[in-house]
Amino acid sequence: MPFRVTALVVAALCVAAPARADSDSAIVHRRAHFAERGNELVMTMRFPELFDAAAEKRLSSGFPARVVVRIYVYRAGVDEPVSLAVARYRVVYDLWGEVYIVRSDLAGRIVDRHYRDRDAAVRAVTQLSSLPIAPLSAVAIGPHYFVAAVVELNPVSDKLLAEMRRWLTRPAGQPTVAGEGSVFGSFVSVFVNPKLDEADRVVRLRSQPFYRVPR
């Protein structure tokens, strides 16, 4: 289905700036691209810093690597997110076939792709391309919003994944999973959650502000 690009329906509020990390919070400010597709808000964003040279080299060992991305949409001035999206990747090098196999689980759609080049496989798991992140009904026309994303390389526990699935299936109108406010609650708690530090690497991202305009 064709979709309208950001310049027509989601207006940026600030001029593009280079990515930078706040020294006190380690939040990387990253320019994202937003658009409307059907009844959904979609986003494109990159996070190449997730893999350093050592992590890329380990990919060639044949051991699988997992990437989990949580994308929170916040309305400015409101502490709870209006929507949450989850993207998951698994990449493993097939030593016999000499090919990198990347499995993506994006909005419940699972796809396997093969890459001969390691750099191409890394790019495939460090970029979101037009990923649905919120229903348009949750993003009102006019108010300012921004996206906060937490990207984990090789999370240690699957418990958090189970909690995310519970969040995604919560009853309509319930902003958080009962008893899990520290994981899915306020913007501050998202970035100070000690459970995240158990992963091999964690990248915390914040987009530029944006707002929807009438069609």
Side-chain angles (χ1 to χ4, degrees):
M1 180 182 296
F3 60 92
R4 299 171 182 266
V5 297
T6 305
L8 298 179
V9 296
V10 183
L13 298 178
C14 60
V15 178
R20 62 180 178 85
D22 290 339
S23 58
D24 57 342
S25 60
I27 298 176
V28 178
H29 290 248
R30 177 60 42 78
R31 183 79 174 179
H33 176 79
F34 300 96
E36 289 184 8
R37 186 175 63 190
N39 295 319
E40 295 177 310
L41 178 71
V42 300
M43 181 186 75
T44 296
M45 177 185 278
R46 299 177 64 248
F47 36 92
E49 58 271 71
L50 183 65
F51 282 82
D52 58 16
E56 287 193 25
K57 186 176 181 180
R58 283 196 297 271
L59 286 180
S60 302
S61 66
F63 291 97
R66 291 189 302 159
V67 175
V68 177
V69 189
R70 283 182 285 141
I71 306 101
Y72 300 80
V73 181
Y74 286 92
R75 179 169 171 168
V78 179
D79 203 35
E80 300 291 337
V82 301
S83 188
L84 166 68
V86 178
R88 291 181 287 180
Y89 300 92
R90 180 180 183 272
V91 55
V92 62
Y93 183 59
D94 182 347
L95 297 171
W96 296 104
E98 297 183 340
V99 65
Y100 294 89
I101 304 172
V102 174
R103 168 164 291 189
S104 60
D105 182 352
L106 307 175
R109 182 170 179 262
I110 299 176
V111 176
D112 288 341
R113 291 187 171 88
H114 294 185
Y115 299 88
R116 291 288 180 186
D117 181 69
R118 186 177 67 189
D119 289 343
V122 170
R123 286 194 298 271
V125 300
T126 56
Q127 176 171 305
L128 305 172
S129 298
S130 298
L131 177 73
I133 60 171
L136 291 182
S137 59
V139 184
I141 293 174
H144 301 167
Y145 293 84
F146 66 92
V147 163
V150 179
V151 188
E152 298 174 77
L153 175 61
N154 294 326
V156 173
S157 174
D158 287 330
K159 181 180 178 181
L160 188 58
L161 298 181
E163 292 170 352
M164 282 189 283
R165 286 192 290 269
R166 290 175 54 212
W167 200 99
L168 292 169
T169 58
R170 74 199 189 287
Q174 181 180 339
T176 60
V177 173
E180 298 296 343
S182 63
V183 178
F184 299 103
S186 69
F187 172 74
V188 173
S189 68
V190 167
F191 290 98
V192 300
N193 184 356
K195 294 181 181 180
L196 297 177
D197 295 327
E198 297 176 354
D200 286 355
R201 185 171 176 82
V202 179
V203 176
R204 297 165 172 86
L205 304 166
R206 176 168 174 158
S207 78
Q208 81 277 17
F210 66 91
Y211 63 91
R212 290 183 59 215
V213 297
R215 297 186 180 185

